[in-house]
Amino acid sequence: MASPSKELHFLLMPLMSQSHIIPLTDFAKLLALYGVNVSIITTPLNAQKYKSIVTYAIKSNLKIQLIPLHFPNQEFGLPQGCENMDTLNSLELFKEFFLASEMMQEPLEKLIQELEPKPSCIISTSPLTWTQQVANKFKIPRYIFQTISCFTLYCSHILNQTKIQETLVLDLDSFLIPNVPHKIEFTKGQLPHDSRKKSSQDMESIFDQIKKSQDLARGTLINTFEELEPWYVDAYKKVVNRVFCIGPVSLCNKEMDEMVDRGNKASIDEHSNCLNWLDSMTPKSVIYACFGSLCNISFLQMKEIGLGLESSNVPFIWIIRGLNFTPQVEKWLRDENFEERVKGRGMVIRGWAAQVLILSHLSVGGFLTHCGWNSTLEGISSGVPMIAFPMFAEQFYNEKFIVDVLKIGVRIGVEVSTNSWNEDKNGVLVNKYQVKKAIDQLMDKGLEGEERRKRAKELAHMSKKAIQEEGSSYLNTKLLIEDVMQSSTQI
């Protein structure tokens, strides 16, 4: 790729959460391919965790670096070593985490004064609203990197305007999103908590800041591609200035080592255990079950998921991540002899797994997912149909998108969103029979199942084409670089 005529330096700063750091780091690698300098600003522990990703890029002669800044966790009452939202053990600490991140403004400003070449722009994920003040101070443009889809952004915009949800009384009361080309039906209880009722004053203030910051940004980058959601991309372009669809960014990881080291260290030796097991399975036969890094699932719900996977008689890989791998869950697995019962057909992985690597394996035929946008897009890029098991935040929007717009998935049947950290109070959202029924439906060899698989395969092909040379996302990244160059001449 040709280098731009000017020595550009992109400063990237994600909110300290896996769902923000991973895609923005992927995008940093894509940007660096255009010959620009890229610096990713994060905290010391996160910098250590993601170091290997950047090391691969540097070996390919890309101008990319990770710069750690102090994160004042203990000054704000956060646990020692808490530099990532994934390590918060209570929603009550959410506000403190945001306040601590705001204290990074002064060190960032000091750093910018010392950096060479001088930064040409700042790209930050939407919750880091204070980066707009930094951009203003140094007279450089700021772009927002959105970690959700145009579909979600536009439907949320409609709800903010119409306030339909506020006319409903019960959580199971339903309504249709008006003025969109698809039949999108929500229950009141499926909406994010901040949409359903008045949030606390602190949280409301954060949401207001995010909205104001959006209006001040020069442009918005979205981890999607135009061919995936054309109507919603066009509609959202009428809501905000300069929308650049630049995804799926996860497709920048082409080598096996890049996929393995993306995020936390994988919990098992991918090369021997997991991949060898997958190699022994027939194509498109395995269900991959994984629920992201922030979903705190109750012990009772974990049991139902395990029993549903077992009773489906379909081969499966079940990822049990840190928050959910409790002593109670481990005791149940041991007492029930669960792994012995499913030996040869099921594999349980405790902790992190290389999701992109697993999803791209030929043996994987279905993805039981919490519907976080990164996971949704990784499923789409791999051509894997999905079982939608949304729990909170914008995950129900992604469920509607997977099932009703793209038609590449089935619902498991969750009707009310939960609060990720307080899931224990909610007990069971779906039982083992619902889990088994959804797996049967997704893996069905009939006409409906074949249509889903065909559509998923087509979308995967389109996603790869989008980031290749002259693809829509490739061209949008070029347009972004040109826009940064243009803005620097206007100052």
Side-chain angles (χ1 to χ4, degrees):
M1 293 180 189
S3 292
S5 57
K6 190 170 178 289
E7 183 90 330
L8 293 177
H9 186 180
F10 283 67
L11 214 59
L12 274 55
M13 186 155 189
L15 175 71
M16 285 72 74
S17 171
Q18 301 278 73
S19 59
H20 288 238
I21 298 172
I22 290 176
L24 201 53
T25 305
D26 283 343
F27 183 59
K29 287 163 68 176
L30 286 172
L31 260 181
L33 288 169
Y34 290 78
V36 302
N37 296 278
V38 184
S39 296
I40 305 164
I41 312 297
T42 188
T43 67
L45 286 179
N46 287 306
Q48 193 58 38
K49 188 188 288 186
Y50 294 93
K51 194 168 108 181
S52 56
I53 299 177
V54 173
T55 304
Y56 292 121
I58 293 167
K59 279 181 190 167
S60 307
N61 297 317
L62 299 179
K63 293 183 280 188
I64 186 168
Q65 63 178 334
L66 268 167
I67 304 176
L69 290 181
H70 172 67
F71 183 65
N73 45 20
Q74 289 181 281
E75 293 94 312
F76 283 86
L78 295 168
Q80 188 173 358
C82 175
E83 295 181 13
N84 194 303
M85 279 183 66
D86 305 24
T87 58
L88 290 179
N89 52 19
S90 165
L91 187 59
E92 304 304 314
L93 295 173
F94 192 70
K95 179 193 159 198
E96 280 70 26
F97 193 88
F98 266 80
L99 290 172
S101 76
E102 285 175 3
M103 290 301 106
M104 295 173 77
Q105 180 172 340
E106 199 177 310
L108 179 61
E109 289 176 357
K110 188 170 180 290
L111 172 73
I112 289 174
Q113 288 167 338
E114 298 162 1
L115 279 175
E116 285 296 334
K118 293 294 178 201
S120 315
C121 70
I122 294 176
I123 299 174
S124 61
T125 54
S126 56
L128 299 179
T129 56
W130 53 268
T131 54
Q132 185 64 51
Q133 295 163 37
V134 178
N136 294 346
K137 180 173 179 177
F138 291 95
K139 296 186 167 54
I140 55 176
R142 171 182 172 248
Y143 298 83
I144 291 170
F145 184 97
Q146 287 286 9
T147 56
I148 53 181
S149 67
C150 283
F151 171 81
T152 296
L153 288 162
Y154 188 68
C155 290
S156 301
H157 168 71
I158 289 177
L159 289 188
N160 287 337
Q161 282 195 319
T162 60
K163 311 284 186 196
I164 303 171
Q165 68 280 18
E166 291 180 13
T167 65
L168 306 174
V169 179
L170 305 173
D171 273 352
L172 292 178
D173 288 348
S174 65
F175 66 95
L176 293 171
I177 301 276
N179 308 319
V180 296
H182 301 92
K183 186 184 174 187
I184 308 298
E185 187 173 8
F186 280 94
T187 65
K188 183 181 182 182
Q190 289 173 339
L191 295 173
H193 280 262
D194 56 281
S195 304
R196 287 154 57 182
K197 56 191 177 188
K198 282 286 180 193
S199 310
S200 72
Q201 211 167 354
D202 292 329
M203 291 310 295
E204 196 142 331
S205 166
I206 289 170
F207 295 131
D208 283 345
Q209 284 172 34
I210 291 171
K211 173 73 180 78
K212 283 175 190 160
S213 165
Q214 170 76 67
D215 298 337
L216 293 169
R218 180 171 173 95
T220 302
L221 283 55
I222 303 177
N223 186 16
T224 187
F225 57 104
E226 291 178 355
E227 296 83 357
L228 182 68
E229 41 177 346
W231 191 92
Y232 297 95
V233 170
D234 289 344
Y236 194 61
K237 280 180 177 177
K238 291 168 187 163
V239 175
V240 299
N241 291 328
R242 296 187 185 86
V243 171
F244 302 89
C245 298
I246 43 75
V249 295
S250 62
L251 289 176
C252 73
N253 301 289
K254 294 181 170 61
E255 302 301 320
M256 185 177 285
D257 284 349
E258 290 180 287
M259 295 185 203
V260 169
D261 280 343
R262 189 170 170 265
N264 290 330
K265 285 289 174 203
S267 305
I268 62 169
D269 183 341
E270 312 295 316
H271 303 277
S272 56
N273 296 9
C274 184
L275 292 186
N276 286 347
W277 184 84
L278 280 170
D279 288 344
S280 71
M281 295 293 158
T282 54
K284 306 294 178 195
S285 66
V286 176
I287 284 281
Y288 169 67
C290 183
F291 303 96
S293 52
L294 282 179
C295 296
N296 191 358
I297 304 170
S298 73
F299 164 63
L300 292 174
Q301 182 63 78
M302 291 294 285
K303 258 174 67 174
E304 295 298 314
I305 291 167
L307 293 170
L309 286 165
E310 182 185 18
S311 62
S312 72
N313 283 322
V314 171
F316 65 87
I317 293 179
W318 181 21
I319 313 301
I320 306 179
R321 288 202 175 154
L323 279 172
N324 304 315
F325 185 53
T326 61
Q328 209 175 4
V329 168
E330 179 61 15
K331 183 177 185 299
W332 176 76
L333 289 170
R334 191 175 61 247
D335 291 352
E336 290 289 316
N337 215 12
F338 183 83
E339 285 167 284
E340 194 58 41
R341 288 202 319 242
V342 299
K343 196 172 182 181
R345 181 173 69 79
M347 174 177 267
V348 178
I349 298 176
R350 295 153 171 83
W352 188 262
Q355 181 159 290
V356 169
L357 186 66
I358 294 170
L359 283 172
S360 60
H361 196 283
L362 284 173
S363 293
V364 176
F367 181 12
L368 174 53
T369 173
H370 67 302
C371 303
W373 182 240
N374 287 332
S375 290
T376 298
L377 207 49
E378 286 161 16
I380 289 166
S381 303
S382 303
V384 178
M386 288 173 261
I387 297 169
F389 188 158
M391 297 179 207
F392 69 103
E394 93 291 353
Q395 293 165 11
F396 284 89
Y397 285 96
N398 296 333
E399 177 200 59
K400 312 297 176 191
F401 186 62
I402 292 164
V403 177
D404 300 323
V405 178
L406 301 181
K407 302 187 186 303
I408 57 165
V410 300
R411 263 186 204 97
I412 205 163
V414 186
E415 296 301 340
V416 178
S417 78
T418 179
N419 174 326
S420 67
W421 276 275
N422 295 330
E423 174 56 14
D424 268 327
K425 295 176 185 172
N426 295 280
V428 175
L429 296 169
V430 294
N431 60 40
K432 62 184 177 184
Y433 304 109
Q434 288 171 285
V435 175
K436 180 186 181 301
K437 184 183 172 188
I439 293 171
D440 291 344
Q441 192 182 346
L442 192 81
M443 305 301 272
D444 180 59
K445 300 288 187 237
L447 186 62
E448 200 177 306
E450 288 304 325
E451 281 297 317
R452 257 194 305 273
R453 283 183 279 277
K454 183 184 168 195
R455 180 77 181 132
K457 192 177 174 184
E458 286 168 358
L459 288 171
H461 176 70
M462 287 158 64
S463 73
K464 289 169 181 67
K465 204 172 165 189
I467 69 154
Q468 287 166 0
E469 201 154 335
E470 301 310 309
S472 60
S473 294
Y474 170 93
L475 294 172
N476 282 332
T477 305
K478 273 179 78 172
L479 285 172
L480 167 70
I481 292 169
E482 286 166 19
D483 192 64
V484 172
M485 291 174 75
Q486 186 188 348
S487 74
S488 63
T489 63
Q490 291 171 352
I491 292 166

